[in-house]
Amino acid sequence: MPYIEVNGIKTNYVDEGTGECILILHGWGASIETFRPVIDYFKNKNRVVALDMPGCGKTEEPSAAYCMNDYAAFVNTFRELLGIQNPVLMGHSNGGRTILKLFSQNPSYPCKKVILIDASGIKHKRSFAASVKLYSYKTVKAVLQCPIWKNAAAPLLEKARTKFGSADYQNSSPVMRRTLVNIVSEDLKYALPMISVPTLIFWGDKDEDTPLSDGKMMEKMIPDCGLIVLKGAGHYSYLEKLGEFLRVSDYFING
């Protein structure tokens, strides 16, 4: 796979096929390879470009924690470096969140169509149990930063992360943990009416990471939008129902 330097980060990507371009943005902790069946299908009809986002797959981590403005700037620079104009933007989970951020900054973003898949970006109030876990971890962290706990802090803090943190948080490096905190703290619901191009949403009705209610809200608030509910599928609905996803998205993209 080729590499390109994007905003100081060595970035892994693929650029396959010819024709109208589809630019694919994967979700948190995933990589190009989670979209390999989609790439292999569409490269026979379209130019398909996909990249490993910072800190994912074979792309370097950023030197400091990212926020959503950084992700948007990263994708913009990448698109410009590869000469991509008016692509179809396809984003899963955090990739969908990045698309929302791009339109929040520019409602006339150079894009022909949008496909959102189990997209994140809508912030929810925490349940009581989730709040207890979060603040318990913060309390433990504050205690362990006291000088008298200095030598024991690292292993104990790791145990606290394991006990109280989410799987995504536990599996991330320190800079990516801070990045995750930054991105989930921003509510991008306000950006939904700013998406000015035809939009298709896919959602698994069994998704426990981003609930189907988010997809229904997006369908209601995005002006030109349709929602496809993939029955029995979870957060990676496009893989679990690959045939249905490919048929419908192909018709939406290529007609």
Side-chain angles (χ1 to χ4, degrees), residues 2 11 28 32 37-38 40 48 53 56 80 85 91 102 122 131 140 151 157 186 195 199 202 216 230 238:
T11 302
W28 180 269
I32 291 169
V38 179
D40 287 344
V48 186
M53 299 293 275
C56 296
E80 290 169 357
Q85 297 180 349
L102 289 168
I122 296 176
S131 296
V140 171
N151 292 333
L157 190 55
E186 183 172 358
I195 298 179
T199 301
F202 290 90
K216 292 179 178 179
L230 298 174
Y238 70 99

Side-chain angles (χ1 to χ4, degrees), residues 57-123:
K58 297 178 181 178
T59 293
E60 295 177 336
E61 289 186 354
S63 57
Y66 260 29
C67 64
M68 288 313 301
N69 284 330
D70 298 313
Y71 274 104
F74 184 87
V75 171
N76 268 326
T77 301
F78 176 82
R79 181 181 59 79
E80 290 169 357
L81 288 171
L82 267 69
I84 299 171
Q85 297 180 349
N86 295 315
V88 174
L89 285 178
M90 180 185 293
H92 171 245
S93 193
N94 193 57
R97 187 200 307 267
T98 304
I99 292 172
L100 299 188
K101 188 64 179 181
L102 289 168
F103 277 93
S104 76
Q105 295 176 340
N106 179 11
S108 299
Y109 191 78
C111 163
K112 186 173 182 181
K113 295 177 181 177
V114 164
I115 297 178
L116 300 173
I117 311 164
D118 299 281
S120 55
I122 296 176
K123 188 176 180 181

Side-chain angles (χ1 to χ4, degrees), residues 34-45:
T34 58
F35 268 95
R36 177 44 64 182
V38 179
I39 296 168
D40 287 344
Y41 175 85
F42 277 106
K43 70 181 183 182
N44 297 312
K45 302 181 178 186

Side-chain angles (χ1 to χ4, degrees), residues 184-200:
V184 300
S185 298
E186 183 172 358
D187 189 352
L188 288 168
K189 183 168 64 177
Y190 73 92
L192 297 174
M194 300 180 184
I195 298 179
S196 55
V197 298
T199 301
L200 183 62

